[in-house]
Amino acid sequence: MSTHDPVTPPAPDLSVARRRSAELKGLIATDPGQFRVLTGDRPTGRLHLGHYFGTLQGRVRLQDLGVDTFVIVADYQVLTDRDVAEHLAEHVEELVLDYLAAGIDPERSTIFAHSALPALNQLLLPFLSLVSVAELRRNPTVKDEIAHSRQASVSGLMFTYPVHQAADILFCKAGVVPVGQDQLPHLEVTRTIARRFNERYGANGPVFPEPDALLSAAPLLLGTDGTKMSKSRGNAITLSATADETARLIKGAKTDAVRRITYDPAARPEVSSLVLLAALCQDRDPQTVAEEIGDGGAAQLKKVVTEAVNEHFAALRARRTELAADRGHVRDVLRRGNERANAVAETTLAEVRAAMGMAY
């Protein structure tokens, strides 16, 4: 392949990604210290139970194993699908509170804000030169995000979103990125950029790794209205919800007309999602939970789910309330994380400049 005439990379092969992800899990368990992970969220609202079981638990697990974990608060990326980033400072603090309450330890993980790293954002310029407009236009994840955008028109930021993500991942030379399979096209852009940069500028050796996906086996938890659980749809139970708020939200959750409770995600998605939520909180098999409720119907199901959620998250919510009383500590966590991440980004940018012959 010519390094000056990029050829569209093949679509990511899901079976290959799954095999590699399984290998990675074994390698991480054996020697966690050799890995660095990049993960994070956009600060658009408080995190919910879907985030907890989908990503937060896994991040804490990797951290506790000894993996060097970078957690990005992707504040610039809030603007990818909306015209204005409203209440951003508040959302950033709330996101950091959720992280800390869930068990992310700032002494072992680096929590930082995207906008606070000038060197990270400077990587965007050379990275943009390594991908074509046609490649960005064909990205299926970008197509989907554009379709659901809150903007009147597609911004340049939305269009180049995968390249921004590449900078987020490669600034710290993360070798592993936990993602769902819908994010594989984005990660493939990152791998392509790393490979093309190394081919074009790596005469003295590669500068960037080609990061692998650590595929999430995230359970599908629906919102209370039976659609995808989402911060923006108002159908989620947040980590910070009180016990009473949780009870009210679960009481109003959509079910169906069949009295006997069964676990059948395909035929009974709303009921099964509630069963699954109880099972996750109790660390039990959802089929067993459903069988125990049996003919108790939706009322008994919701009672079991409410009790399971409130018991499982009681300690987390207590920690969060305590942490929220000291906003100075929250800001200090972010400041210290920004300092460490900035040092890493500046080192990487210096290597990039040297490789490109721009160290003058």
Side-chain angles (χ1 to χ4, degrees), residues 85-108:
E86 296 179 317
H87 311 296
L88 192 54
E90 176 188 343
H91 287 331
V92 168
E93 286 191 9
E94 294 296 329
L95 185 57
V96 175
L97 278 171
D98 285 336
Y99 287 160
L100 298 176
I104 294 178
D105 181 354
E107 300 302 320
R108 293 180 292 161

Side-chain angles (χ1 to χ4, degrees), residues 135-199:
E135 287 173 322
L136 293 175
R137 186 174 285 126
R138 283 194 291 267
N139 186 297
T141 313
V142 169
K143 285 182 180 180
D144 183 66
E145 286 166 351
I146 287 172
H148 293 89
S149 173
R150 297 181 180 186
Q151 293 176 313
S153 60
V154 178
S155 71
L157 183 60
M158 167 68 85
F159 196 62
T160 58
Y161 185 38
V163 187
H164 281 260
Q165 286 200 325
D168 295 342
I169 295 164
L170 295 177
F171 96 91
C172 65
K173 300 188 179 181
V176 177
V177 185
V179 293
Q181 67 182 57
D182 62 321
Q183 289 289 309
L184 284 175
H186 274 359
L187 187 59
E188 197 59 33
V189 173
T190 300
R191 291 172 56 83
T192 298
I193 287 171
R195 183 168 59 254
R196 289 177 181 168
F197 188 94
N198 293 336
E199 289 171 348

